[in-house]
């Protein structure tokens, strides 16, 4: 059986790449290796996706669905006997409805394309992350992407109103709900959001839009203690009347890294504070919003919460502040980073970080530790950088340390990146036996032949 030839009959000649052509494509934005697969199929419509999956079902061929390949957990890795299903030819924004405040899109539309399209209607799609130019909306939903504004708008899960999905046997479930409230039995779309391509293939989405904020105020502040970081979060959220849109924290070592050469960033405030927070407020009244934001900072100073602050005077300042927090690439240049994407209660963070800092020297040789992340969401990114030749032996040691500490209070081994292959061995840190059993029941019910992204998550 020639897979490529049979698939061409279903989706046309330009819809299929042979194995040799697949091998010339990069495996992902952050990856040095190339893709491998028996073939890559690029359907143009839900009907074509259905035909492909029907064919796979009949011939028992495993399918790995791919979006923009910006994931970090090997959730879309394919093996050479599997078929890659790419949604790259499904890039239409079908409807933007400014009154209902919804967009209906095909799964291959990139996040940034939608953000820019809805802006022209004075609306916003508030999901935002560094990979916006490449990541697709189908991939964002399949992985339940998080990003920078979760504190205000939630994860992708909170922005999806409806989905169209093709199941493992090729049947189509069109659940393109546009209503904000629709409490009619099981919320089927939630089954597929965050399922990483293991339960069905998302082909179209109805997304919730918001009125576009027109003002932005930001500050980068220095804090003397972690207790003050936690106070500052509550203080700002309470003072800003619902307009707090981001609350990011950088431990000192990360702040120094991104504000010292060879990094391009300059330090807006001194580099001596143990903690730095980036706080952002988005609103709709320039004068009032600035006044409220500045008053909130002032009262934080008076209450002894803040040690120092730089306040944005322009959009350029806001960009400069964000580019410090987003300059994660600096970590990559130092050696081989072992990276984590964890969630834990804010009350546990200081003990967790201190425990890690004191344990690592005994476990590893030369290394560097960086902690930063979406503290307002309880989500920290931890990077332990070791020498490249030490990576393979160091990684399980560091993982045991990080996940062992999380297990004590049932933290999450993945706050926003997902499980894929990378976090799969540690899923039981965050999920009970009965939860895992129910996940397997769902997988068995929806994909009894185990053809959809096999081996991922569970
Ligand atoms: Zn993140």
């Amino acid at each position: 059986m020639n897979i490529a030839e049979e698939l061409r009959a279903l989706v046309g000649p330009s819809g299929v790449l042979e194995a040799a052509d697949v091998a010339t494509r990069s495996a992902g934005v952050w990856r040095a290796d190339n893709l491998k697969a028996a073939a890559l199929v690029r359907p143009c419509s839900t009907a074509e996706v259905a035909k492909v999956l029907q064919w796979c079902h009949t011939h028992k061929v495993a399918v790995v669905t791919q979006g923009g390949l910006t994931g970090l957990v090997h959730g879309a890795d394919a093996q050479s006997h599997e078929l890659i299903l790419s949604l790259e030819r499904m890039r239409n924004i079908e409807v933007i409805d400014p009154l209902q405040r919804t967009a209906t899109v095909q799964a291959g539309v990139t996040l940034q394309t939608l953000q820019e399209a809805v802006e022209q209607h004075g609306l916003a799609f508030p999901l935002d992350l560094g990979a916006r130019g490449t990541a697709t909306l189908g991939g964002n939903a399949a992985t339940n992407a998080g990003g920078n504004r979760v504190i205000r708008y939630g994860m992708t899960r909170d922005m999806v109103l409806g989905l169209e999905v093709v199941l493992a046997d090729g049947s189509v479930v069109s659940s393109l709900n546009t209503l904000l409230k629709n409490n009619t039995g099981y919320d089927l779309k939630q089954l597929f959001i965050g399922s990483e391509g293991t339960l069905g293939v998302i082909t179209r989405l109805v997304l919730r839009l918001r009125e576009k904020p027109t003002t932005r105020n930001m500050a980068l502040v220095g804090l003397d203690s972690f207790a003050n970081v936690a106070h500052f979060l509550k203080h700002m959220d309470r003072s800003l009347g619902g307009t707090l849109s981001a609350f990011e924290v950088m431990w000192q070592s990360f702040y120094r890294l991104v504000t010292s050469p060879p990094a391009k960033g300059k330090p807006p405030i001194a580099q001596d504070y143990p903690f730095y927070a980036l706080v952002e407020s988005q609103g709709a009244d320039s004068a009032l919003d600035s006044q409220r934001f500045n008053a909130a900072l002032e009262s934080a100073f008076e209450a002894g919460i803040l040690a120092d602050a730089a306040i944005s005077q322009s959009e350029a300042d806001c960009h400069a502040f964000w580019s410090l927090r987003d300059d994660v690439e600096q970590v990559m240049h130092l050696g081989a980073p072992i990276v984590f994407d964890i969630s834990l209660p804010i009350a546990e963070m200081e003990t967790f970080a201190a425990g890690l800092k004191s344990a690592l020297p005994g476990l590893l040789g030369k290394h560097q530790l960086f902690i930063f992340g979406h503290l307002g969401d309880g989500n920290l990114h931890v990077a332990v950088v070791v020498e490249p030749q030490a990576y393979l032996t160091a990684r399980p040691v560091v993982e045991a340390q990080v996940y062992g500490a999380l297990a004590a209070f049932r933290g999450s081994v993945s706050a926003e990146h997902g499980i894929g292959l990378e976090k799969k061995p540690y899923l039981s840190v965050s999920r009970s036996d009965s939860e895992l059993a129910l996940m397997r029941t769902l997988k068995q019910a929806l994909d009894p032949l185990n053809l959809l992204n096999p081996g991922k998550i569970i």
Side-chain angles (χ1 to χ4, degrees), residues 435-449:
E435 287 175 306
L436 292 171
L438 182 52
M439 287 188 200
R440 287 194 191 94
T441 302
L442 289 170
K443 173 71 174 170
Q444 173 67 24
L446 284 167
D447 182 18
L449 302 181

Side-chain angles (χ1 to χ4, degrees), residues 88-164:
E88 66 196 46
R89 294 209 297 177
M90 294 184 61
R91 290 194 187 273
N92 288 335
I93 297 175
E94 297 175 351
V95 180
I96 294 172
D97 182 339
L99 184 60
Q100 189 66 11
R101 293 182 288 199
T102 59
T104 305
V105 301
Q106 289 187 315
V109 174
T110 66
L111 172 56
Q112 189 170 351
T113 304
L114 180 68
Q115 286 174 334
E116 290 171 1
V118 303
E119 251 178 54
Q120 294 166 19
H121 299 267
L123 295 167
F125 181 59
L127 179 68
D128 197 34
L129 36 91
R132 63 184 75 77
T134 313
T136 64
L137 294 162
N140 291 152
T143 59
N144 187 30
N148 292 336
R149 301 228 161 74
V150 173
I151 192 169
R152 174 122 160 226
Y153 298 105
M155 308 257 291
T156 304
R157 189 181 293 291
D158 302 293
M159 305 176 197
V160 177
L161 294 175
L163 287 182
E164 186 166 82

Side-chain angles (χ1 to χ4, degrees), residues 222-239:
L223 303 110
D224 284 325
S225 69
F226 189 82
N228 278 342
V229 175
H231 285 150
F232 186 52
L233 169 60
K234 279 179 70 70
H235 173 87
M236 292 307 276
D237 209 356
R238 192 189 302 128
S239 310

Side-chain angles (χ1 to χ4, degrees), residues 286-363:
S286 162
L288 279 177
D289 291 341
S290 295
Q291 201 177 20
R292 179 168 51 191
F293 188 77
N294 293 340
L297 286 177
E298 238 163 73
S299 55
F301 263 116
E302 280 159 17
I305 297 171
L306 292 187
D308 198 357
I311 301 171
S312 67
Q313 306 297 326
S314 63
E315 268 297 294
D317 287 348
C318 295
H319 278 286
F321 289 167
W322 269 119
S323 65
L324 298 179
R325 162 60 185 86
D326 286 342
D327 196 8
V328 181
E329 228 181 287
Q330 297 305 323
V331 175
M332 311 290 169
H333 297 325
L334 296 174
I338 305 163
V339 294
F340 298 90
D341 158 43
I342 55 174
S343 265
L344 62 168
I346 291 171
E348 306 282 355
M349 284 180 181
E350 189 177 20
T351 314
F352 172 84
L356 194 58
K357 197 174 173 184
S358 68
L360 288 179
L363 298 169

Side-chain angles (χ1 to χ4, degrees), residues 146-148 248 325 341 372-374 379 381 416-417:
N148 292 336
E248 301 286 316
R325 162 60 185 86
D341 158 43
F372 55 96
H374 319 289
N379 175 191
H381 296 314
E416 60 176 2
H417 295 166

